[in-house]
Amino acid sequence: MGALMNHTVLPPGADDRDLLAALKAVLAGHEDVSISTPDGSVPLPDSVRGLLVDAVTALDRGQAVTVEPHRTVLTTQEAAELLGITRPTLVRLLEAGKIPYTSPGRHRRVELADVLEFQQRERGRRGQVFEEMAHEDIPDPAAADSFVSTR
């Protein structure tokens, strides 16, 4: 497999379910994990371990997993696609200072880490807004007397 290609793995068959469960248990544990070969062993870095935990968990749920490399510096179009918004909307976010960017020459460039950080902040903010909305006690004017007319 080439370094810049994506790779999709389908969920395993019933025969491999036990092996997948055992792998998930090892990866999710707190002990250090190493990959061993006849030439020696190499410790598994936490970032790779986290990726493998996510992948094995998804496969265990019956989902397919695709691993695709990303560059660390994105164009505005790539960043917009990653966030699921239009490029003009992303540019407005950049100009408002919500996401840092650089302008080498005429084109804006965005760091992948900054885009992912913005995405996490927005998810958290939206979750907080939904929580607040769920706990608001707004009386329904139509139901003020506890009687709702159906006709």
Side-chain angles (χ1 to χ4, degrees):
M1 181 176 81
L4 295 177
M5 296 178 63
N6 66 23
H7 185 76
T8 299
V9 177
L10 298 176
D15 299 341
D16 291 334
R17 285 284 192 195
D18 293 337
L19 182 60
L20 195 62
L23 181 58
K24 183 177 173 183
V26 168
L27 290 171
H30 296 290
E31 300 83 25
D32 289 337
V33 176
S34 297
I35 296 179
S36 298
T37 68
D39 297 330
S41 68
V42 177
L44 199 60
D46 289 340
S47 58
V48 175
R49 187 176 183 167
L51 173 70
L52 291 175
V53 167
D54 291 346
V56 170
T57 300
L59 289 169
D60 192 40
R61 291 180 185 154
Q63 300 170 320
V65 174
T66 300
V67 177
E68 182 175 3
H70 283 280
R71 294 178 314 173
T72 57
V73 178
L74 306 174
T75 65
T76 53
Q77 184 62 46
E78 291 168 332
E81 288 173 2
L82 182 63
L83 292 172
I85 59 178
T86 64
R87 195 187 67 74
T89 300
L90 177 77
V91 169
R92 281 194 294 275
L93 291 170
L94 297 177
E95 291 175 352
K98 305 266 185 185
I99 304 172
Y101 70 96
T102 58
S103 293
R106 292 181 27 196
H107 302 285
R108 295 177 187 90
R109 296 290 181 252
V110 185
E111 292 286 333
L112 175 62
D114 293 333
V115 173
L116 296 176
E117 182 182 322
F118 171 79
Q119 188 177 47
Q120 286 301 107
R121 276 195 325 262
E122 279 299 298
R123 284 182 181 159
R125 185 187 65 77
R126 288 180 187 147
Q128 185 178 9
V129 168
F130 288 141
E131 277 293 317
E132 291 171 4
M133 288 172 57
H135 295 307
E136 284 182 2
D137 190 25
I138 301 173
D140 184 4
D145 61 358
S146 300
F147 179 76
V148 178
S149 175
T150 58
R151 297 186 189 229

